């Protein structure tokens, strides 16, 4: 059954200059990819640009078909160098995403965020520190195939979609050598 919602927004303003939105650097966007029950998927982004990473952030959207699906889900980022960090994981697999957690909605993982991902609440809109450190990618070349890994451990209607954006600041220094 549909319904109607009414609301009022009241705004006070002044003549001051508004704050600029944060600049996360150059953005690289993946396509939206479906995932199934009890599956591991990889969502690639191939970056052909060059530069040495000085700061990397990632925006993630996960729409899990099961309202508590993130409890059995791990989200990780894998660099072209083979470096992998866990962005977040469910409480059923060693992380702390709790009950009623099925979505990440424009969740920005940023080492400089003031709140850790496990201190947030669903749908985790805004900026959060990841479980692992994105600084692990600093000094690496941005060039190559990046992968967002979604390890979906639920078989309770756990299908869904995921996509992400890598937001990177880089410079022209020489990157560290790959392993």
């Amino acid at each position: 059954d549909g319904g109607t919602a009414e609301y009022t927004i009241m705004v006070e303003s002044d003549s001051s200059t508004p704050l600029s939105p944060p600049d996360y650097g150059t953005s690289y966007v993946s396509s939206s990819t479906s995932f199934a029950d009890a599956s591991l998927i990889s969502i690639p982004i191939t970056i052909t640009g060059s530069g040495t990473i000085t700061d990397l952030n990632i925006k993630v959207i996960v729409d899990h078909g099961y309202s508590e699906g993130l409890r059995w889900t791990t989200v990780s980022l894998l660099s072209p160098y083979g470096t992998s960090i866990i962005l977040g994981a469910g409480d059923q697999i060693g992380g702390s995403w709790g009950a009623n957690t099925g979505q990440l909605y424009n969740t920005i993982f940023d080492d400089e965020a003031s709140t850790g991902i496990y201190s947030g609440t669903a749908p985790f809109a805004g900026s959060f520190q990841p479980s692992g450190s994105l600084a692990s990618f600093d000094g690496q070349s941005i060039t190559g195939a990046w992968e967002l890994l979604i390890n979906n451990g639920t078989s309770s209607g756990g299908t869904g979609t995921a996509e992400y954006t890598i937001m990177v600041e880089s410079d022209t220094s020489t990157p560290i050598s790959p392993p």
Side-chain angles (χ1 to χ4, degrees), residues 49-154:
S50 63
T52 299
I53 298 168
T54 59
D55 188 38
L56 185 137
N57 300 306
I58 178 170
K59 179 172 70 173
V60 178
I61 300 170
V62 173
D63 187 6
H64 206 292
Y66 176 46
S67 65
E68 295 193 3
L70 289 183
R71 295 183 71 191
W72 288 270
T73 302
T74 302
V75 180
S76 304
L77 182 63
L78 177 66
S79 80
Y81 280 48
T83 304
S84 177
I85 69 146
I86 294 174
L87 300 172
D91 65 344
Q92 299 300 303
I93 51 174
S96 291
W97 280 327
N100 301 316
T101 325
Q103 297 180 329
L104 299 175
Y105 179 74
N106 287 326
T107 305
I108 297 173
F109 291 95
D110 179 352
D111 284 340
E112 289 81 33
S114 59
T115 304
I117 189 63
Y118 299 137
S119 295
T121 55
F124 302 98
S127 295
F128 299 90
Q129 294 171 357
S131 176
S133 175
L134 292 166
S136 299
F137 302 121
D138 290 356
Q140 296 183 16
S141 171
I142 188 63
T143 309
W146 291 80
E147 298 176 69
L148 185 73
L149 304 173
I150 307 285
N151 188 356
N152 178 27
T154 184

Side-chain angles (χ1 to χ4, degrees), residues 8-61:
T8 302
I9 298 175
M10 293 189 241
V11 178
E12 288 187 33
S13 64
D14 59 25
S15 60
S16 64
T17 302
L19 297 173
S20 298
D23 179 9
Y24 290 110
T26 305
S27 294
Y28 302 92
V29 182
S30 77
S31 60
S32 180
T33 302
S34 297
F35 57 86
D37 286 352
S39 65
L40 171 66
I41 64 159
S42 166
I43 306 171
I45 293 178
T46 299
I47 298 175
T48 57
S50 63
T52 299
I53 298 168
T54 59
D55 188 38
L56 185 137
N57 300 306
I58 178 170
K59 179 172 70 173
V60 178
I61 300 170

